[in-house]
Amino acid sequence: MRSARMALGLCPQVLCSLGGWLSLYISFCRLNKHRSYEWNCRLVTFTHGVLSIGLSAYIGFVDGPWPFTHPGSPNTPLQVHVLCLTLGYFIFDLGWCVYFQSEGALMLAHHTLSILGIIMALVLGESGTEVNAVLFGSEITNPLLQMRWFLRETGHYHSFTGDVVDFLFVALFTGVRIGVGARLLFCEMVSPKPKGFVKVGGVAMYAVSWCFMFSIWRFAWRKSIKKYHAWRSRRREERQLKRNGHLKTR
């Protein structure tokens, strides 16, 4: 009961966060009237991604406690503030996605699980440590994902910059969300402190990450094959040029 009352006391903070993200979105829409609604929403998403990465990294690496050794620990004041800030964002973004019907079931499931996980940590007054770690792992690839979309919209995706962004996105997703995420989930499961339903939520979030991973690997494979064939084609043309002194005409 005490934890529930404390969670209810955080409602104004969450509402302020929701209002802040909504106000930022409206501001972007007014500043970028020539851009689409999705462009401005992705600017908000990019802003949240950068902010949440910095805050969650500070909590995990500096303020503590360390999520791999202290899962299920009582929430710290800073963790609560960051979770409230992020909860307001996810409510905003989920509402935007549902209203504009811009995302599929997997992304909606990810947002829903994120909202439920944050609410659960706030109501329980514990497990903010590992939820914050999941936030860091989930958001670390978000700015790259938004950069990829912006590059595509502005016609600069098929470039060296686009290739670098794609490589970093795939590498970080595989290494952090799948690799480090597996270690965090193991520590969560073997620890006696976290509640059983908290562990179930961790398994669900990790399963969603794997669903994303399969799609990302398919994309990476198709792009790699396309790049390879383009390289082979250029090599054939170069050999033809060296042999005949001019490019082969068709």
Side-chain angles (χ1 to χ4, degrees):
M1 289 296 293
R2 182 182 179 184
S3 297
R5 286 196 298 269
M6 291 178 63
L8 287 174
L10 295 173
C11 286
Q13 190 171 338
V14 175
L15 291 175
C16 286
S17 171
L18 174 60
W21 294 115
L22 183 59
S23 298
L24 183 61
Y25 171 69
I26 294 173
S27 298
F28 281 142
C29 288
R30 290 181 176 177
L31 289 172
N32 304 303
K33 294 181 180 179
H34 61 292
R35 296 294 186 180
S36 65
Y37 291 125
E38 184 172 3
W39 177 284
N40 295 304
C41 184
R42 285 183 181 271
L43 283 177
V44 175
T45 301
F46 181 86
T47 303
H48 170 263
V50 173
L51 184 61
S52 62
I53 289 170
L55 291 172
S56 58
Y58 177 81
I59 290 174
F61 294 106
V62 180
D63 193 62
W66 187 239
F68 297 96
T69 56
H70 294 81
S73 299
N75 299 341
T76 66
L78 184 56
Q79 288 174 356
V80 171
H81 291 318
V82 173
L83 291 179
C84 288
L85 179 69
T86 299
L87 179 57
Y89 163 75
F90 275 120
I91 294 173
F92 157 77
D93 200 49
L94 179 61
W96 193 95
C97 292
V98 171
Y99 182 80
F100 286 96
Q101 299 180 351
S102 62
E103 299 291 345
L106 186 58
M107 182 61 73
L108 296 180
H110 170 268
H111 276 35
T112 302
L113 285 173
S114 298
I115 290 172
L116 293 176
I118 294 172
I119 292 176
M120 177 180 61
L122 292 174
V123 170
L124 291 174
E126 61 184 46
S127 290
T129 301
E130 57 266 40
V131 172
N132 176 80
V134 171
L135 173 63
F136 174 80
S138 298
E139 293 298 320
I140 196 170
T141 54
N142 198 302
L144 293 170
L145 183 63
Q146 307 315 316
M147 287 174 62
R148 181 177 182 272
W149 188 89
F150 288 130
L151 287 171
R152 186 181 293 277
E153 285 294 301
T154 55
H156 297 94
Y157 174 68
H158 297 290
S159 63
F160 177 73
T161 302
D163 291 340
V164 170
V165 169
D166 278 344
F167 174 79
L168 291 176
F169 175 76
V170 175
L172 280 175
F173 199 104
T174 304
V176 178
R177 291 189 67 163
I178 300 301
V180 179
R183 176 62 180 174
L184 180 64
L185 181 61
F186 173 79
C187 295
E188 178 83 3
M189 299 301 290
V190 300
S191 175
K193 288 185 177 180
K195 301 288 193 301
F197 49 84
V198 175
K199 296 181 179 182
V200 171
V203 172
M205 282 295 292
Y206 191 66
V208 169
S209 292
W210 266 106
C211 292
F212 282 126
M213 189 75 265
F214 286 135
S215 299
I216 292 169
W217 279 345
R218 283 198 300 268
F219 154 77
W221 174 256
R222 289 195 299 266
K223 183 168 184 176
S224 298
I225 293 299
K226 186 177 179 180
K227 289 284 185 181
Y228 173 73
H229 287 314
W231 176 78
R232 287 284 301 273
S233 178
R234 287 195 303 270
R235 291 284 293 176
R236 282 196 300 267
E237 290 179 353
E238 289 172 359
R239 285 196 297 267
Q240 187 69 25
L241 178 61
K242 290 179 180 179
R243 190 162 50 243
N244 298 334
H246 58 80
L247 287 174
K248 182 180 179 180
T249 58
R250 296 181 179 178

